[in-house]
Amino acid sequence: MSVLNQVMMFFRDPMNVLGAFAQGLFASRFIIQWIASELKGKSVIPLAFWYCSLGGGVALLAYAIYREEPVFIAGQLPGIIVYSRNLYFIFRDKRAARNGTEVEAGE
């Protein structure tokens, strides 16, 4: 079977399409971070980085569950918690800034 046929057979399964999309979304976060840092001339982590991290992580987790791969599942779960927590901190701080209040560490 030719490589092209193997690729076409692979993408017949919608979950394989999801897995490939998820990996692309997850990997795109590094490109986003690189471009943002180049534009600012310093290391920055833009909001889109965290959205791509969370979206890609959740989609990869769904794919890992479908594939029944416990190592893959265990590898995605902690990241999803971290990405969610960082988004929480970002939006908490923005809300506090709008209200003119400061957020103390540990809140």
Side-chain angles (χ1 to χ4, degrees), residues 26 50 53-54 57-58 61 70-86:
F26 195 71
W50 297 114
S53 298
L54 182 60
V58 168
L61 177 62
V71 173
F72 197 4
I73 293 167
Q76 289 304 313
L77 282 173
I80 291 170
I81 294 166
V82 171
Y83 312 141
S84 299
R85 188 80 171 140
N86 278 308

Side-chain angles (χ1 to χ4, degrees), residues 57-69:
V58 168
L60 284 170
L61 177 62
Y63 182 69
I65 291 169
Y66 169 76
R67 300 282 306 221
E68 298 179 356
E69 295 191 25

Side-chain angles (χ1 to χ4, degrees), residues 5-83:
N5 282 341
Q6 289 176 343
V7 170
M8 290 176 66
M9 290 297 292
F10 178 81
F11 283 113
R12 280 190 171 172
D13 182 348
M15 289 305 289
N16 288 341
V17 173
L18 173 66
F21 170 77
Q23 189 60 47
L25 179 62
F26 195 71
S28 72
R29 67 198 189 125
F30 294 111
I31 295 167
I32 289 167
Q33 194 271 332
W34 173 52
I35 291 169
S37 294
E38 288 295 328
L39 291 172
K40 294 271 187 176
K42 64 179 184 174
S43 181
V44 296
I45 300 177
L47 186 59
F49 176 91
W50 297 114
Y51 281 124
C52 288
S53 298
L54 182 60
V58 168
L60 284 170
L61 177 62
Y63 182 69
I65 291 169
Y66 169 76
R67 300 282 306 221
E68 298 179 356
E69 295 191 25
V71 173
F72 197 4
I73 293 167
Q76 289 304 313
L77 282 173
I80 291 170
I81 294 166
V82 171
Y83 312 141

